[in-house]
Structure formats: C-alpha cells, structure tokens
Short mmCIF file of all heavy atoms in Angstrom, two decimals:
data_model
loop_
_atom_site.label_atom_id
_atom_site.label_comp_id
_atom_site.label_asym_id
_atom_site.label_seq_id
_atom_site.Cartn_x
_atom_site.Cartn_y
_atom_site.Cartn_z
N MET A 1 61.20 119.06 75.33
CA MET A 1 61.09 118.07 76.42
C MET A 1 61.52 118.76 77.76
O MET A 1 62.53 119.41 77.83
CB MET A 1 61.95 116.95 76.17
CG MET A 1 61.47 115.61 76.60
SD MET A 1 62.54 114.25 76.25
CE MET A 1 61.33 113.21 75.39
N ARG A 2 60.81 118.46 78.79
CA ARG A 2 61.07 119.10 79.99
C ARG A 2 61.64 118.13 81.04
O ARG A 2 61.22 116.96 81.09
CB ARG A 2 59.70 119.55 80.61
CG ARG A 2 59.85 120.45 81.81
CD ARG A 2 58.56 120.97 82.22
NE ARG A 2 58.71 121.38 83.58
CZ ARG A 2 57.69 121.60 84.37
NH1 ARG A 2 56.44 121.44 83.99
NH2 ARG A 2 57.83 121.94 85.59
N TRP A 3 62.72 118.49 81.72
CA TRP A 3 63.34 117.67 82.69
C TRP A 3 62.59 117.63 83.98
O TRP A 3 62.18 118.70 84.55
CB TRP A 3 64.72 118.18 82.98
CG TRP A 3 65.45 117.35 83.98
CD1 TRP A 3 66.11 116.15 83.70
CD2 TRP A 3 65.73 117.59 85.33
NE1 TRP A 3 66.68 115.70 84.86
CE2 TRP A 3 66.46 116.50 85.90
CE3 TRP A 3 65.29 118.60 86.18
CZ2 TRP A 3 66.77 116.48 87.18
CZ3 TRP A 3 65.68 118.58 87.47
CH2 TRP A 3 66.45 117.46 88.01
N GLU A 4 62.32 116.41 84.48
CA GLU A 4 61.62 116.29 85.79
C GLU A 4 62.51 115.44 86.77
O GLU A 4 63.09 114.45 86.24
CB GLU A 4 60.31 115.54 85.56
CG GLU A 4 59.47 116.33 84.57
CD GLU A 4 57.98 116.15 84.87
OE1 GLU A 4 57.68 115.55 85.90
OE2 GLU A 4 57.15 116.66 84.10
N PRO A 5 62.59 115.89 87.95
CA PRO A 5 63.45 115.13 88.87
C PRO A 5 62.87 113.72 89.23
O PRO A 5 61.68 113.59 89.16
CB PRO A 5 63.45 116.03 90.09
CG PRO A 5 62.27 116.90 90.01
CD PRO A 5 61.90 116.99 88.51
N LYS A 6 63.76 112.82 89.56
CA LYS A 6 63.41 111.54 89.97
C LYS A 6 62.72 111.55 91.28
O LYS A 6 63.00 112.40 92.09
CB LYS A 6 64.54 110.53 89.96
CG LYS A 6 65.11 110.23 88.61
CD LYS A 6 66.17 109.20 88.70
CE LYS A 6 66.70 108.74 87.33
NZ LYS A 6 67.60 107.66 87.43
N SER A 7 61.78 110.68 91.47
CA SER A 7 61.17 110.52 92.79
C SER A 7 62.07 110.02 93.80
O SER A 7 63.01 109.28 93.44
CB SER A 7 59.86 109.74 92.64
OG SER A 7 60.15 108.37 92.39
N VAL A 8 61.79 110.23 94.98
CA VAL A 8 62.60 109.79 96.14
C VAL A 8 62.60 108.26 96.17
O VAL A 8 63.59 107.68 96.44
CB VAL A 8 62.20 110.44 97.40
CG1 VAL A 8 62.94 109.81 98.64
CG2 VAL A 8 62.31 111.89 97.46
N THR A 9 61.47 107.65 95.94
CA THR A 9 61.36 106.21 95.96
C THR A 9 62.20 105.56 94.93
O THR A 9 62.80 104.55 95.12
CB THR A 9 59.95 105.70 95.82
OG1 THR A 9 59.37 106.23 94.63
CG2 THR A 9 59.10 106.19 97.09
N SER A 10 62.25 106.18 93.75
CA SER A 10 63.03 105.67 92.59
C SER A 10 64.52 105.76 92.99
O SER A 10 65.38 104.81 92.78
CB SER A 10 62.86 106.47 91.34
OG SER A 10 63.69 106.07 90.30
N VAL A 11 65.04 106.81 93.64
CA VAL A 11 66.40 106.96 94.13
C VAL A 11 66.76 105.89 95.15
O VAL A 11 67.73 105.35 95.10
CB VAL A 11 66.67 108.34 94.53
CG1 VAL A 11 68.10 108.48 95.19
CG2 VAL A 11 66.52 109.39 93.38
N LYS A 12 65.82 105.74 96.08
CA LYS A 12 66.06 104.75 97.15
C LYS A 12 66.08 103.39 96.61
O LYS A 12 66.91 102.50 97.05
CB LYS A 12 64.87 104.85 98.27
CG LYS A 12 64.98 106.01 99.16
CD LYS A 12 63.87 105.96 100.12
CE LYS A 12 63.90 107.16 101.06
NZ LYS A 12 62.89 107.16 102.09
N LEU A 13 65.28 103.02 95.66
CA LEU A 13 65.27 101.70 95.05
C LEU A 13 66.60 101.56 94.24
O LEU A 13 67.17 100.41 94.37
CB LEU A 13 64.08 101.57 94.10
CG LEU A 13 63.93 100.19 93.43
CD1 LEU A 13 63.70 99.15 94.41
CD2 LEU A 13 62.84 100.30 92.46
N GLY A 14 67.09 102.53 93.62
CA GLY A 14 68.31 102.38 92.84
C GLY A 14 69.47 102.26 93.81
O GLY A 14 70.41 101.48 93.65
N LEU A 15 69.44 103.02 94.96
CA LEU A 15 70.54 102.90 95.93
C LEU A 15 70.51 101.51 96.54
O LEU A 15 71.59 100.94 96.79
CB LEU A 15 70.35 103.95 97.03
CG LEU A 15 71.40 104.15 97.90
CD1 LEU A 15 72.72 104.62 97.33
CD2 LEU A 15 70.98 105.21 99.00
N MET A 16 69.32 100.95 96.99
CA MET A 16 69.27 99.63 97.48
C MET A 16 69.75 98.53 96.52
O MET A 16 70.45 97.65 96.88
CB MET A 16 67.87 99.27 97.96
CG MET A 16 67.43 100.12 99.15
SD MET A 16 65.78 99.96 99.72
CE MET A 16 65.11 98.51 99.03
N ALA A 17 69.45 98.71 95.30
CA ALA A 17 69.86 97.73 94.22
C ALA A 17 71.41 97.84 94.03
O ALA A 17 72.11 96.73 93.95
CB ALA A 17 69.16 97.99 92.89
N ASN A 18 71.94 98.93 94.15
CA ASN A 18 73.45 99.19 94.04
C ASN A 18 74.12 98.45 95.20
O ASN A 18 75.16 97.76 95.06
CB ASN A 18 73.78 100.62 94.01
CG ASN A 18 75.22 100.91 93.57
OD1 ASN A 18 75.95 99.96 93.32
ND2 ASN A 18 75.63 102.11 93.74
N PHE A 19 73.59 98.72 96.49
CA PHE A 19 74.25 98.06 97.62
C PHE A 19 74.09 96.58 97.57
O PHE A 19 74.94 95.84 97.95
CB PHE A 19 73.57 98.62 98.87
CG PHE A 19 74.10 99.93 99.34
CD1 PHE A 19 73.29 100.95 99.63
CD2 PHE A 19 75.53 100.21 99.26
CE1 PHE A 19 73.79 102.14 100.07
CE2 PHE A 19 76.03 101.45 99.65
CZ PHE A 19 75.13 102.46 100.05
N ALA A 20 72.90 96.10 97.10
CA ALA A 20 72.71 94.65 97.01
C ALA A 20 73.62 94.08 95.92
O ALA A 20 74.23 92.98 96.20
CB ALA A 20 71.24 94.33 96.64
N GLY A 21 73.86 94.63 94.92
CA GLY A 21 74.75 94.10 93.85
C GLY A 21 76.23 94.08 94.34
O GLY A 21 76.95 93.13 94.11
N THR A 22 76.65 95.21 95.01
CA THR A 22 77.97 95.21 95.60
C THR A 22 78.16 94.20 96.69
O THR A 22 79.15 93.54 96.77
CB THR A 22 78.23 96.60 96.19
OG1 THR A 22 78.06 97.56 95.14
CG2 THR A 22 79.66 96.71 96.62
N GLY A 23 77.17 94.04 97.52
CA GLY A 23 77.21 93.02 98.60
C GLY A 23 77.36 91.61 98.04
O GLY A 23 78.01 90.85 98.56
N TRP A 24 76.55 91.37 96.98
CA TRP A 24 76.59 90.04 96.33
C TRP A 24 77.91 89.70 95.75
O TRP A 24 78.45 88.59 95.93
CB TRP A 24 75.50 89.99 95.28
CG TRP A 24 75.47 88.71 94.54
CD1 TRP A 24 75.95 88.42 93.31
CD2 TRP A 24 74.95 87.37 95.05
NE1 TRP A 24 75.77 87.03 92.94
CE2 TRP A 24 75.16 86.46 94.06
CE3 TRP A 24 74.42 87.04 96.30
CZ2 TRP A 24 74.75 85.15 94.27
CZ3 TRP A 24 74.00 85.71 96.42
CH2 TRP A 24 74.24 84.78 95.43
N ALA A 25 78.48 90.72 95.07
CA ALA A 25 79.84 90.49 94.52
C ALA A 25 80.91 90.20 95.63
O ALA A 25 81.74 89.31 95.47
CB ALA A 25 80.23 91.67 93.67
N ALA A 26 80.82 90.99 96.77
CA ALA A 26 81.72 90.79 97.83
C ALA A 26 81.52 89.40 98.43
O ALA A 26 82.54 88.67 98.73
CB ALA A 26 81.55 91.87 98.83
N LEU A 27 80.28 88.97 98.63
CA LEU A 27 80.00 87.70 99.23
C LEU A 27 80.52 86.61 98.35
O LEU A 27 81.12 85.61 98.85
CB LEU A 27 78.57 87.55 99.44
CG LEU A 27 78.03 86.25 99.99
CD1 LEU A 27 78.57 86.04 101.42
CD2 LEU A 27 76.51 86.11 99.99
N MET A 28 80.33 86.66 97.04
CA MET A 28 80.82 85.64 96.13
C MET A 28 82.32 85.56 96.09
O MET A 28 82.85 84.49 95.98
CB MET A 28 80.26 85.86 94.71
CG MET A 28 78.81 85.65 94.64
SD MET A 28 78.14 84.14 95.34
CE MET A 28 78.92 82.92 94.40
N GLN A 29 83.07 86.63 96.23
CA GLN A 29 84.47 86.62 96.35
C GLN A 29 84.94 85.83 97.58
O GLN A 29 85.85 85.05 97.57
CB GLN A 29 85.09 88.02 96.35
CG GLN A 29 84.91 88.72 95.08
CD GLN A 29 85.49 90.13 95.08
OE1 GLN A 29 85.75 90.57 96.14
NE2 GLN A 29 85.46 90.81 93.96
N ILE A 30 84.29 86.13 98.70
CA ILE A 30 84.64 85.43 99.89
C ILE A 30 84.32 83.92 99.83
O ILE A 30 85.17 83.03 100.31
CB ILE A 30 83.92 86.11 101.10
CG1 ILE A 30 84.54 87.54 101.35
CG2 ILE A 30 84.04 85.28 102.36
CD1 ILE A 30 83.79 88.39 102.33
N VAL A 31 83.16 83.58 99.25
CA VAL A 31 82.75 82.17 99.15
C VAL A 31 83.67 81.40 98.25
O VAL A 31 83.93 80.26 98.50
CB VAL A 31 81.32 82.09 98.72
CG1 VAL A 31 80.97 80.67 98.25
CG2 VAL A 31 80.37 82.58 99.87
N CYS A 32 84.25 82.01 97.28
CA CYS A 32 85.04 81.36 96.25
C CYS A 32 86.56 81.12 96.75
O CYS A 32 87.22 80.33 96.09
CB CYS A 32 85.00 82.09 94.94
SG CYS A 32 83.46 81.87 94.08
N ILE A 33 86.94 81.75 97.77
CA ILE A 33 88.35 81.64 98.26
C ILE A 33 88.72 80.13 98.47
O ILE A 33 89.78 79.70 98.00
CB ILE A 33 88.61 82.47 99.45
CG1 ILE A 33 88.63 83.96 99.10
CG2 ILE A 33 89.95 82.09 100.17
CD1 ILE A 33 88.76 84.90 100.27
N PRO A 34 87.88 79.35 99.19
CA PRO A 34 88.29 77.98 99.39
C PRO A 34 88.40 77.18 98.03
O PRO A 34 89.28 76.35 97.93
CB PRO A 34 87.14 77.34 100.19
CG PRO A 34 86.53 78.47 100.92
CD PRO A 34 86.69 79.65 99.95
N LEU A 35 87.63 77.49 97.07
CA LEU A 35 87.73 76.85 95.74
C LEU A 35 89.00 77.26 95.05
O LEU A 35 89.64 76.38 94.45
CB LEU A 35 86.50 77.24 94.94
CG LEU A 35 85.21 76.75 95.30
CD1 LEU A 35 84.07 77.34 94.46
CD2 LEU A 35 85.15 75.21 95.32
N TYR A 36 89.38 78.46 95.15
CA TYR A 36 90.66 78.92 94.63
C TYR A 36 91.86 78.16 95.18
O TYR A 36 92.73 77.65 94.52
CB TYR A 36 90.88 80.42 94.71
CG TYR A 36 89.94 81.31 93.95
CD1 TYR A 36 89.55 82.56 94.55
CD2 TYR A 36 89.42 80.94 92.76
CE1 TYR A 36 88.74 83.38 93.77
CE2 TYR A 36 88.56 81.75 92.04
CZ TYR A 36 88.22 82.96 92.61
OH TYR A 36 87.38 83.78 91.86
N ILE A 37 91.74 78.07 96.55
CA ILE A 37 92.89 77.43 97.26
C ILE A 37 92.89 75.93 96.86
O ILE A 37 93.99 75.31 96.70
CB ILE A 37 92.78 77.66 98.76
CG1 ILE A 37 93.02 79.16 99.11
CG2 ILE A 37 93.70 76.79 99.54
CD1 ILE A 37 92.78 79.52 100.51
N LYS A 38 91.73 75.30 96.73
CA LYS A 38 91.66 73.88 96.40
C LYS A 38 92.22 73.59 95.07
O LYS A 38 93.00 72.65 94.91
CB LYS A 38 90.24 73.41 96.44
CG LYS A 38 90.01 71.93 96.12
CD LYS A 38 88.65 71.59 96.08
CE LYS A 38 88.43 70.11 95.66
NZ LYS A 38 87.00 69.75 95.56
N PHE A 39 91.98 74.44 94.06
CA PHE A 39 92.35 74.17 92.64
C PHE A 39 93.82 74.61 92.44
O PHE A 39 94.60 74.01 91.74
CB PHE A 39 91.45 74.90 91.73
CG PHE A 39 90.13 74.25 91.58
CD1 PHE A 39 89.00 74.93 91.83
CD2 PHE A 39 89.99 72.89 91.30
CE1 PHE A 39 87.69 74.31 91.78
CE2 PHE A 39 88.76 72.25 91.25
CZ PHE A 39 87.64 72.99 91.49
N MET A 40 94.25 75.80 93.07
CA MET A 40 95.56 76.31 92.78
C MET A 40 96.63 75.90 93.87
O MET A 40 97.83 75.81 93.60
CB MET A 40 95.54 77.78 92.80
CG MET A 40 94.74 78.46 91.63
SD MET A 40 94.97 80.17 91.49
CE MET A 40 94.36 80.77 93.07
N GLY A 41 96.16 75.72 95.15
CA GLY A 41 97.14 75.51 96.18
C GLY A 41 97.35 76.83 96.92
O GLY A 41 97.23 77.91 96.37
N ILE A 42 97.77 76.69 98.10
CA ILE A 42 97.95 77.84 99.01
C ILE A 42 99.06 78.79 98.50
O ILE A 42 99.06 80.01 98.63
CB ILE A 42 98.04 77.46 100.46
CG1 ILE A 42 97.93 78.75 101.42
CG2 ILE A 42 99.39 76.73 100.83
CD1 ILE A 42 96.62 79.27 101.38
N GLU A 43 100.12 78.09 98.01
CA GLU A 43 101.33 78.91 97.61
C GLU A 43 100.97 79.81 96.38
O GLU A 43 101.29 80.93 96.31
CB GLU A 43 102.45 77.96 97.18
CG GLU A 43 103.04 77.24 98.38
CD GLU A 43 102.34 75.96 98.63
OE1 GLU A 43 101.41 75.54 97.85
OE2 GLU A 43 102.62 75.25 99.70
N ALA A 44 100.29 79.17 95.42
CA ALA A 44 99.91 79.98 94.18
C ALA A 44 98.85 81.02 94.58
O ALA A 44 98.97 82.18 94.02
CB ALA A 44 99.25 79.10 93.07
N TYR A 45 97.99 80.75 95.44
CA TYR A 45 97.01 81.76 95.87
C TYR A 45 97.73 82.94 96.62
O TYR A 45 97.41 84.06 96.39
CB TYR A 45 95.99 81.12 96.83
CG TYR A 45 94.89 82.09 97.24
CD1 TYR A 45 93.86 82.46 96.38
CD2 TYR A 45 94.92 82.73 98.51
CE1 TYR A 45 92.83 83.32 96.75
CE2 TYR A 45 93.92 83.54 98.92
CZ TYR A 45 92.84 83.83 98.00
OH TYR A 45 91.94 84.76 98.47
N GLY A 46 98.72 82.61 97.37
CA GLY A 46 99.50 83.60 98.03
C GLY A 46 100.26 84.47 97.09
O GLY A 46 100.42 85.69 97.28
N LEU A 47 100.86 83.86 96.11
CA LEU A 47 101.62 84.61 95.09
C LEU A 47 100.68 85.51 94.27
O LEU A 47 101.08 86.72 94.05
CB LEU A 47 102.34 83.74 94.10
CG LEU A 47 103.61 83.09 94.60
CD1 LEU A 47 104.16 82.03 93.54
CD2 LEU A 47 104.65 84.17 94.80
N ILE A 48 99.58 85.11 93.92
CA ILE A 48 98.60 85.94 93.16
C ILE A 48 98.15 87.12 94.10
O ILE A 48 98.08 88.27 93.57
CB ILE A 48 97.35 85.14 92.71
CG1 ILE A 48 97.74 84.14 91.64
CG2 ILE A 48 96.26 86.01 92.31
CD1 ILE A 48 96.68 83.22 91.18
N GLY A 49 97.83 86.82 95.33
CA GLY A 49 97.56 87.93 96.26
C GLY A 49 98.70 88.93 96.43
O GLY A 49 98.48 90.20 96.44
N PHE A 50 99.98 88.44 96.49
CA PHE A 50 101.10 89.29 96.64
C PHE A 50 101.26 90.25 95.36
O PHE A 50 101.45 91.45 95.47
CB PHE A 50 102.38 88.56 96.76
CG PHE A 50 103.70 89.35 96.66
CD1 PHE A 50 104.00 90.19 97.77
CD2 PHE A 50 104.48 89.31 95.60
CE1 PHE A 50 105.09 90.94 97.64
CE2 PHE A 50 105.60 90.04 95.55
CZ PHE A 50 105.89 90.95 96.52
N TYR A 51 101.09 89.67 94.20
CA TYR A 51 101.23 90.42 92.97
C TYR A 51 100.09 91.41 92.80
O TYR A 51 100.27 92.51 92.21
CB TYR A 51 101.33 89.52 91.70
CG TYR A 51 102.74 88.94 91.68
CD1 TYR A 51 102.94 87.58 91.64
CD2 TYR A 51 103.82 89.74 91.50
CE1 TYR A 51 104.17 87.00 91.60
CE2 TYR A 51 105.12 89.23 91.41
CZ TYR A 51 105.28 87.83 91.58
OH TYR A 51 106.55 87.31 91.41
N LEU A 52 98.87 91.05 93.24
CA LEU A 52 97.78 92.04 93.16
C LEU A 52 97.98 93.20 94.16
O LEU A 52 97.68 94.39 93.73
CB LEU A 52 96.39 91.27 93.44
CG LEU A 52 95.86 90.31 92.44
CD1 LEU A 52 94.65 89.66 93.00
CD2 LEU A 52 95.60 91.12 91.17
N VAL A 53 98.54 92.94 95.29
CA VAL A 53 98.79 94.04 96.26
C VAL A 53 99.97 94.88 95.65
O VAL A 53 99.91 96.16 95.69
CB VAL A 53 99.19 93.42 97.59
CG1 VAL A 53 99.81 94.57 98.47
CG2 VAL A 53 98.05 92.88 98.33
N LEU A 54 100.95 94.35 95.07
CA LEU A 54 102.06 95.09 94.47
C LEU A 54 101.56 95.92 93.30
O LEU A 54 101.92 97.10 93.21
CB LEU A 54 103.10 94.04 93.99
CG LEU A 54 104.44 94.65 93.38
CD1 LEU A 54 105.17 95.41 94.46
CD2 LEU A 54 105.27 93.54 92.82
N GLN A 55 100.72 95.34 92.51
CA GLN A 55 100.10 96.09 91.44
C GLN A 55 99.34 97.30 91.93
O GLN A 55 99.43 98.46 91.38
CB GLN A 55 99.29 95.24 90.50
CG GLN A 55 98.68 95.95 89.31
CD GLN A 55 97.78 95.02 88.48
OE1 GLN A 55 97.44 93.92 88.93
NE2 GLN A 55 97.42 95.43 87.31
N ALA A 56 98.47 97.11 92.93
CA ALA A 56 97.71 98.15 93.47
C ALA A 56 98.58 99.29 94.01
O ALA A 56 98.29 100.42 93.88
CB ALA A 56 96.75 97.61 94.52
N MET A 57 99.67 98.86 94.74
CA MET A 57 100.57 99.84 95.35
C MET A 57 101.25 100.73 94.27
O MET A 57 101.43 101.94 94.36
CB MET A 57 101.56 99.20 96.25
CG MET A 57 101.00 98.74 97.56
SD MET A 57 102.11 97.92 98.73
CE MET A 57 103.72 98.02 98.02
N LEU A 58 101.69 100.09 93.14
CA LEU A 58 102.31 100.76 92.08
C LEU A 58 101.43 101.66 91.37
O LEU A 58 101.80 102.73 90.99
CB LEU A 58 102.88 99.73 91.02
CG LEU A 58 104.10 99.00 91.54
CD1 LEU A 58 104.48 97.91 90.57
CD2 LEU A 58 105.29 99.87 91.79
N GLN A 59 100.11 101.29 91.17
CA GLN A 59 99.25 102.24 90.65
C GLN A 59 99.01 103.49 91.43
O GLN A 59 98.93 104.58 90.98
CB GLN A 59 97.87 101.57 90.41
CG GLN A 59 97.82 100.55 89.35
CD GLN A 59 96.56 99.81 89.19
OE1 GLN A 59 95.69 99.91 89.98
NE2 GLN A 59 96.38 99.12 88.03
N VAL A 60 98.98 103.37 92.76
CA VAL A 60 98.87 104.49 93.67
C VAL A 60 100.04 105.36 93.51
O VAL A 60 99.91 106.58 93.55
CB VAL A 60 98.63 104.07 95.14
CG1 VAL A 60 98.71 105.25 96.13
CG2 VAL A 60 97.19 103.33 95.30
N TRP A 61 101.26 104.74 93.56
CA TRP A 61 102.46 105.57 93.40
C TRP A 61 102.55 106.29 92.11
O TRP A 61 103.03 107.39 92.05
CB TRP A 61 103.65 104.75 93.67
CG TRP A 61 103.89 104.25 95.11
CD1 TRP A 61 103.31 104.79 96.17
CD2 TRP A 61 104.52 103.07 95.53
NE1 TRP A 61 103.66 104.09 97.32
CE2 TRP A 61 104.41 103.07 96.97
CE3 TRP A 61 105.24 102.09 94.90
CZ2 TRP A 61 104.94 102.06 97.74
CZ3 TRP A 61 105.81 101.07 95.72
CH2 TRP A 61 105.71 101.12 97.11
N ILE A 62 102.15 105.63 91.07
CA ILE A 62 102.29 106.22 89.75
C ILE A 62 101.35 107.34 89.53
O ILE A 62 101.61 108.43 89.01
CB ILE A 62 102.12 105.19 88.63
CG1 ILE A 62 103.27 104.22 88.58
CG2 ILE A 62 101.89 105.83 87.24
CD1 ILE A 62 103.08 103.04 87.67
N TRP A 63 100.10 107.19 89.97
CA TRP A 63 99.09 108.15 89.72
C TRP A 63 98.88 109.15 90.79
O TRP A 63 98.23 110.11 90.77
CB TRP A 63 97.74 107.54 89.48
CG TRP A 63 97.76 106.72 88.24
CD1 TRP A 63 97.75 105.42 88.14
CD2 TRP A 63 97.65 107.21 86.91
NE1 TRP A 63 97.75 104.96 86.80
CE2 TRP A 63 97.78 106.11 86.07
CE3 TRP A 63 97.69 108.50 86.40
CZ2 TRP A 63 97.81 106.23 84.68
CZ3 TRP A 63 97.69 108.61 85.01
CH2 TRP A 63 97.71 107.48 84.13
N GLY A 64 99.62 108.88 91.92
CA GLY A 64 99.66 109.86 93.08
C GLY A 64 98.35 109.95 93.70
O GLY A 64 97.74 110.67 94.28
#
C-alpha cells in the first residue's frame, strides 16, 4: 500500500471543523454559567471555581 498525502482542502476542512467544535464547547460553557449559578448559588459556584484553580495550579507545580 502506498502512502498519499492528504489534499489541502481536506486539511482545511478538518481544521475548520476542529475550530468549530472548540468554539461550540467554549460557547456552551459561557451560556451555562447562569444556569449553574441559579441551581447552585453564587457561593457554591465560587467555591467550585476556587478549587478548580487550586487544582490547576497544583498540577503545574507538580509536573513543572
């Protein structure tokens, strides 16, 4: 079997699909923030945010 490079249009289409999927995920996270606050309350949402930031910082410190 012989390897053939992908066409430029195929790569562009894949790149656009990747950006669209990432953008959609980011948009949904932003849209859902008011729902999270409504169901959990602002204090619980703030605590979850604090612990997520703490976890991310610890991962950076541990793995360097």
Side-chain angles (χ1 to χ4, degrees):
M1 210 178 234
R2 189 173 160 202
W3 179 79
E4 301 214 7
K6 290 187 175 185
S7 67
V8 174
T9 56
S10 175
V11 172
K12 284 183 180 178
L13 183 63
L15 190 62
M16 287 176 18
N18 191 6
F19 281 134
T22 303
W24 178 255
L27 179 66
M28 293 311 300
Q29 288 176 354
I30 292 170
V31 167
C32 289
I33 288 174
L35 293 173
Y36 293 149
I37 292 174
K38 179 181 176 185
F39 290 121
M40 293 188 302
I42 194 70
E43 294 87 5
Y45 183 77
L47 278 176
I48 289 173
F50 172 75
Y51 284 119
L52 287 175
V53 168
L54 185 64
Q55 181 181 14
M57 287 180 4
L58 288 173
Q59 286 178 349
V60 169
W61 289 337
I62 290 172
W63 296 107

